[in-house]
Amino acid sequence: KIRYRKDVENYVDIPILGEIPSREKTDTRKIVIEEGRRDSISEAFRILRSNVEFTRNTDQKSTSYLFLSLMEGSGKTFLTTNLAASLAMVNKKVILLDLDLRKGTLTHEFYSRKKPGFSNYLSGKLNDIEEIISHDVIAKGVDSILSGPLPPNPAELLSSNRLETIMNVLRERYEYILID
């Protein structure tokens, strides 16, 4: 288990952009970052946002971040949604993508699997990207694309050319693309 920053630094030589403290067990909010709050978790997300902005390649119109974990329940969706909300607070153009077509944790937490999303677009059932972009549901200023209905062939859909097509469109529209 990783409990401290040193546990990571002892094994890898990569920059650490931030540390997010655990929240109180009684705190069930999905979005914990709020304008003007000075609690430790809000401050940690502001520091993370600043470090993400600092490492961004400004020669490119857009930067994509993919959040992965080997373990279920490790906080990827919590991290991506709150980072997206934090970036939107400073007027950054941000979109959050739920590309976990099998589980769709982001989709389950904020929406319904019945709402159109990536699986509809990647399978060719929808061609208009505007039909799958949701606005201001996760937080004000955050756009998102859900996973959509559970497809029978998620791996094949994710390896299709349509994923590259939609990503190219999103890179033109957004400064930050966060992939959960």
Side-chain angles (χ1 to χ4, degrees):
K1 287 190 172 185
I2 297 171
R3 295 182 191 260
Y4 306 102
R5 182 184 190 119
K6 223 37 174 159
D7 295 338
V8 175
E9 292 173 334
N10 286 338
Y11 293 98
V12 295
D13 188 26
I14 56 174
I16 295 174
L17 298 179
E19 299 173 80
I20 307 299
S22 297
R23 60 184 168 164
E24 300 293 324
K25 291 192 188 290
T26 57
D27 187 354
T28 59
R29 295 174 297 157
K30 293 175 182 151
I31 303 297
V32 296
I33 178 121
E34 296 174 19
E35 191 106 30
R37 276 190 77 135
R38 296 289 173 221
D39 58 83
S40 62
I41 200 161
S42 294
E43 197 59 37
F45 274 108
R46 279 192 280 281
I47 291 167
L48 176 61
R49 176 187 67 211
S50 296
N51 289 339
V52 164
E53 287 179 304
F54 182 75
T55 61
R56 183 170 180 260
N57 182 353
T58 54
D59 293 337
Q60 296 177 344
K61 190 170 188 172
S62 179
T63 304
S64 301
Y65 295 91
L66 173 63
F67 293 82
L68 300 170
S69 172
L70 297 174
M71 296 173 45
E72 189 175 324
S74 61
K76 293 180 303 298
T77 299
F78 177 75
L79 179 66
T80 56
T81 54
N82 280 279
L83 178 57
S86 181
L87 287 163
M89 278 183 193
V90 292
N91 299 316
K92 299 299 179 185
K93 195 93 168 106
V94 61
I95 189 163
L96 183 55
L97 312 178
D98 188 353
L99 274 174
D100 185 347
L101 300 185
R102 281 193 178 94
K103 186 154 189 212
T105 304
L106 174 69
T107 299
H108 285 296
E109 284 194 22
F110 290 91
Y111 302 95
S112 160
R113 273 309 272 249
K114 295 176 184 164
K115 186 164 173 47
F118 270 109
S119 60
N120 302 93
Y121 177 81
L122 295 177
S123 66
K125 291 183 177 165
L126 290 176
N127 291 313
D128 184 3
I129 293 170
E130 295 305 318
E131 290 184 55
I132 61 172
I133 296 177
S134 297
H135 307 280
D136 300 330
V137 174
I138 291 169
K140 186 176 184 237
V142 176
D143 288 350
S144 54
I145 301 179
L146 312 175
S147 59
L150 180 64
N153 56 345
E156 289 81 9
L157 290 180
L158 289 171
S159 62
S160 76
N161 291 338
R162 289 179 67 91
L163 180 59
E164 187 168 337
T165 301
I166 194 170
M167 291 303 291
N168 287 335
V169 170
L170 297 175
R171 284 184 194 108
E172 289 298 315
R173 293 185 186 183
Y174 296 93
E175 293 173 85
Y176 293 93
I177 300 170
L178 305 180
I179 305 168
D180 184 19

